[in-house]
Structures are given as C-alpha cells and as structure tokens.
Amino acid sequence: MTTQRKRRPVIAGNWKMHKTQADTRAFFAAFTPLVANATHCGIVIAPPFTSISAAVEAVKAGTPSIAISAQNGYWQPEGAFTGEISMPMIAETGATHVIIGHSERRQFFHETDETVHKRLKAALAANLTPIVCIGESLEERESNNTHQCLARQFEHGLGSLTPAEFSRILLAYEPVWAIGTGKTATPDQASSAHGYIRGLVSSRFSAEQASAVRILYGGSVKPDNIKGLMAHVDIDGALVGGASLDAKSFASIVSYES
C-alpha cells in the first residue's frame, strides 16, 4: 500500500430501481450543496432510465460537475427489441456514462461476457464512457477461483478492444458476494483483486495502460468503510449502491478525504 495516488478517483452511485423524477430532483437539491467543494474526485450518478433526463437537468447548473450514467444499454442502435434502450438513445438524454455487466444484470437477466462485449462496443460507438463490472461469486472465491473468474470476464468481455478503445473505459471490481449483502471485501482483499486486474491489463495491453486505467470497488461501500478502501493506491474510487440513495450518506462517501 502507498499513499501516492496517480489517478483521479471516481465515486459513482448506482440507484438501481429507485427514485422517481420528483425524488431525483429532491436528491440533487440536497446533494449538490454538500459536495460543492469536492474537486478531488469525479462524481457519477446512475438513476433509472425514467429519471435520467431529470438528473441531467438537475446537474446542469450545479457545481462541481456531476456526470449522469445509465445503468444498462442495448447493443443494437434501433430495432424490434421491445423494452430495450439503445446507446444512442442514452447519449441523447445528456447522460455521458453507462454501467455494463453489473452483477445483478448477469445474475437476474442472464447477461454474459459476450453480451457485455457487445454492449461495450456499442457504448463506445455512441461516445459514452462505459463502467464495466467484473467480479467473482461467493462459490468462486471460496473455491479459490477468483483469479480465473476475473481473467475469463476480462478476456471475453474486454480483451478484444483496441488500446485506444480501452483507454476510454472505467472498470469496476464487484465481488458478487458483497453486493447488497452487507458484507464488504476487506481493503486488502479489494486491493489484491485490483492489483490482479491491473496485471491483466498490463499483459493484454501495456504497462502504461495498466497504470492509467481507473478501477472502482463496488460491494456494500458505506461512509464508514470508504476511507479504508481509498487508502489503497490500486483502488481508484467506488461504485456505490444503497448508500448512494441518501444525499448525506453519498456526500459523506464522496468527501472521504475530509
């Protein structure tokens, strides 16, 4: 562990299936003043599709800059795909990011490394910044297959990107066993996984890209554990679930340095 940080952190909030448009406006009215002086990190918030436009409008006059993300997107630009939202549609709303391959999408909606790759390419084509999630299940961790899982997801989902494409993404390490369970990987466990992922990037692309890529930690991040996580130089921020729904709680996470 070292205290020297080369990459600008990103703290992202994933609201999942929470908040109406009215809730969204109320959240930003409370949240924006609380992070007005937060220049040490980037802030990204992913509301549900129906509240993206309300979120974009809410942050237009806010300081500091807060980016808005979609939680998912389809790989075809248009077509007979009832219920899906394309990446160009997301971009049209003013959102700049999109989460791809979240563990809940893999678990409940049967997304695969192959569909992650398709979504990733479509997001890049629409000039969105993908936040690509990878991570092992409890069974894989307990059977000492964490590295095999991460290597498979990385290679099949991201390995065929060009170096230029890869430079445009954010990664998120999500130990599935810590999503919504209240369990959190220890800072050492998270840092070890981040270091392994960085090694995968170095082997597939280059040491320079491994040094540059930002890897967020996602898994029951809360105000009381963010400092311990961010003390590790390989952890470049967080993808926050439940704790991002409350303005004060999420502002406390964003302001982890204070």
Side-chain angles (χ1 to χ4, degrees):
M1 186 176 71
T2 174
T3 57
Q4 184 179 5
R5 186 176 299 282
K6 298 178 181 179
R7 298 168 293 271
R8 186 170 186 251
V10 173
I11 305 295
N14 176 18
W15 288 355
K16 307 186 181 183
M17 200 173 71
H18 294 280
K19 295 194 185 296
T20 64
Q21 293 184 40
D23 295 333
T24 297
R25 296 185 188 100
F27 173 90
F28 282 104
F31 176 72
T32 304
L34 298 176
V35 296
N37 297 319
T39 59
H40 62 285
C41 68
I43 304 171
V44 181
I45 295 179
F49 283 127
T50 53
S51 293
I52 287 178
S53 293
V56 169
E57 287 298 318
V59 302
K60 275 185 177 178
T63 56
S65 176
I66 300 171
I68 302 302
S69 175
Q71 298 175 16
N72 189 37
Y74 196 59
W75 57 83
Q76 292 287 0
E78 60 181 11
F81 305 104
T82 300
E84 294 294 336
I85 305 292
S86 74
M87 301 297 180
M89 291 174 180
I90 292 169
E92 186 184 33
T93 68
T96 56
H97 292 59
V98 58
I99 299 172
I100 294 175
H102 189 279
S103 62
E104 291 162 356
R105 297 297 311 178
R106 296 175 188 260
Q107 178 181 358
F108 299 127
F109 303 100
H110 312 296
E111 293 189 10
T112 65
D113 296 333
E114 289 71 25
T115 62
V116 164
H117 177 71
K118 290 180 180 180
R119 295 175 199 275
L120 176 53
K121 294 286 284 188
L124 292 170
N127 292 315
L128 294 168
T129 298
I131 304 173
V132 187
C133 304
I134 59 176
E136 80 282 6
S137 67
L138 180 61
E139 181 182 0
E140 287 166 325
R141 173 162 282 274
E142 290 182 340
S143 59
N144 295 315
N145 287 323
T146 293
H147 286 182
Q148 292 92 321
C149 171
L150 294 176
R152 182 190 72 249
Q153 292 177 339
F154 180 87
E155 183 58 33
H156 293 171
L158 301 99
S160 65
L161 296 181
T162 67
E165 288 173 332
F166 186 81
S167 69
R168 296 169 52 197
I169 74 169
L170 297 171
L171 287 174
Y173 167 60
E174 287 189 318
V176 179
W177 48 273
I179 305 296
T181 63
K183 298 179 180 179
T184 307
T186 67
D188 285 341
Q189 287 174 322
S191 182
S192 175
H194 283 224
Y196 178 74
I197 295 167
R198 217 172 286 283
L200 294 174
V201 178
S202 182
S203 296
R204 174 62 184 83
F205 295 100
S206 68
E208 290 76 17
Q209 289 205 279
S211 179
V213 66
R214 288 175 290 181
I215 307 174
L216 316 184
Y217 170 75
S220 296
V221 177
K222 297 178 175 63
D224 61 3
N225 62 28
I226 185 66
K227 283 188 178 182
L229 291 165
M230 292 304 295
H232 287 253
V233 72
D234 269 328
I235 299 177
D236 302 312
L239 180 58
V240 186
S244 71
L245 295 173
D246 178 78
K248 289 184 179 179
S249 171
F250 192 49
S252 178
I253 293 172
V254 168
S255 304
Y256 64 87
E257 284 194 335
S258 60

